[in-house]
Amino acid sequence: LAVEHDGRTYEVRVVSLFEFESINLYGTDVTAAREVERANRENERLLLNILPPTIAQRLRGGEVLIADGFDELAVLFADVVDFTPYSAAHPAQDVVGVLNEVFSLFDALVDRHRLEKIKTIGDAYMAVGGLTADHGDVTAVADMALDILDEMAAYRPPSGEPMSIRVGLHVGPGIGGVIGLKKFIYDSRLESHGVPGRIQVAAATAERLADRYMFEPRGTVDLKGKGPTETWFLVSRRW
């Protein structure tokens, strides 16, 4: 039994003294211990917001350098179209509120499809599938990409104007790791040149997912660092 009094927390133990027909109460000040527990829970929550649980566990286990290779990783990158002019035209509190609402929608999709959220940068959101056997595979990432378009088609900020999203999706080998002692980076490389309201993929990704999804050709796009690249649009599920 815990009792709060005058800003302190006491753990109370009740002892019955039958021979004296009385009850004794013993109180132990556990304020400091409870504060440590709360701090540990908060640290855990923050760590899991930065890193996937499996990586966080390895860090707690004492690993300093973590670098993993993946034969097949699916990376999703989404960003809000024209968010910079939107931010300039609205109060900062409203802008933060809209981003919170949009990213909360995406977070719910990550949970639904059992994926891993990697990070957000400004109005950009990044998630992956295929990090572990227990988390969604590459098709789950494609499903999330389609669901993002559906969610954003229905979403309206308080100002009422529709918001458009562009999504890039890539499937292929990847590397994830923890770098440095003070800042964590758990990342995979994705290069896309998106189109508002569309999900763009490279030809190899379209070929990999062609049995379950419908695609339409976009043509060749000159991607920075990659040169001319054949790209496709993910349109829908086949069933």
Side-chain angles (χ1 to χ4, degrees):
L1 176 63
V3 176
E4 301 282 344
H5 177 69
D6 197 23
R8 310 293 296 179
T9 303
Y10 298 90
E11 196 171 77
V12 178
R13 184 164 58 97
V14 180
V15 178
S16 299
L17 302 175
F18 297 105
E19 62 271 26
F20 298 106
E21 297 184 348
S22 65
I23 295 175
N24 282 1
L25 297 179
Y26 297 91
T28 303
D29 189 340
V30 295
T31 305
R34 292 296 175 88
E35 288 177 352
V36 170
E37 290 176 2
R38 282 194 290 267
N40 287 338
R41 288 194 297 269
E42 180 64 13
N43 289 339
E44 180 74 4
R45 184 187 68 81
L46 291 174
L47 184 61
L48 293 179
N49 277 339
I50 297 171
L51 297 170
T54 53
I55 300 302
Q57 183 177 358
R58 289 166 64 181
L59 282 175
R60 287 193 299 266
E63 287 190 56
V64 176
L65 177 62
I66 297 177
D68 297 323
F70 302 92
D71 293 332
E72 185 175 70
L73 200 67
V75 182
L76 178 148
F77 189 88
D79 72 305
V80 181
V81 178
D82 293 330
F83 195 74
T84 298
Y86 177 88
S87 300
H90 295 82
Q93 185 174 357
D94 294 346
V95 171
V96 173
V98 167
L99 271 186
N100 180 64
E101 290 178 351
V102 170
F103 287 166
S104 293
L105 292 175
F106 295 176
D107 287 344
L109 292 177
V110 164
D111 291 340
R112 182 192 306 172
H113 295 292
R114 296 170 39 253
L115 302 171
E116 288 284 1
K117 174 184 178 180
I118 296 300
K119 64 181 178 180
T120 60
I121 303 177
D123 64 328
Y125 189 100
M126 187 176 184
V128 303
L131 288 178
T132 70
D134 296 331
H135 290 84
D137 61 11
V138 296
T139 59
V141 180
D143 287 337
M144 177 176 170
L146 291 168
D147 288 345
I148 281 177
L149 295 189
D150 291 339
E151 292 281 0
M152 292 303 295
Y155 173 76
R156 292 293 182 275
S159 55
E161 68 262 44
M163 304 195 79
S164 184
I165 197 86
R166 56 177 160 240
V167 182
L169 171 63
H170 185 73
V171 176
I175 296 175
V178 177
I179 302 172
L181 298 177
K182 294 185 178 180
K183 293 186 178 180
F184 298 119
I185 296 176
Y186 196 83
D187 215 339
S188 295
R189 187 178 183 188
L190 172 68
E191 293 183 63
S192 65
H193 184 74
V195 173
R198 307 303 300 267
I199 303 166
Q200 183 172 262
V201 305
T205 299
E207 182 178 353
R208 166 66 177 80
L209 299 175
D211 59 333
R212 294 189 58 175
Y213 300 90
M214 300 289 293
F215 294 87
E216 65 180 45
R218 181 196 178 185
T220 301
V221 176
D222 190 9
L223 298 181
K224 182 179 179 180
K226 301 286 288 185
T229 303
E230 183 185 357
T231 61
W232 295 69
F233 290 130
L234 169 60
V235 177
S236 65
R237 302 172 184 86
R238 286 190 179 274
W239 58 81

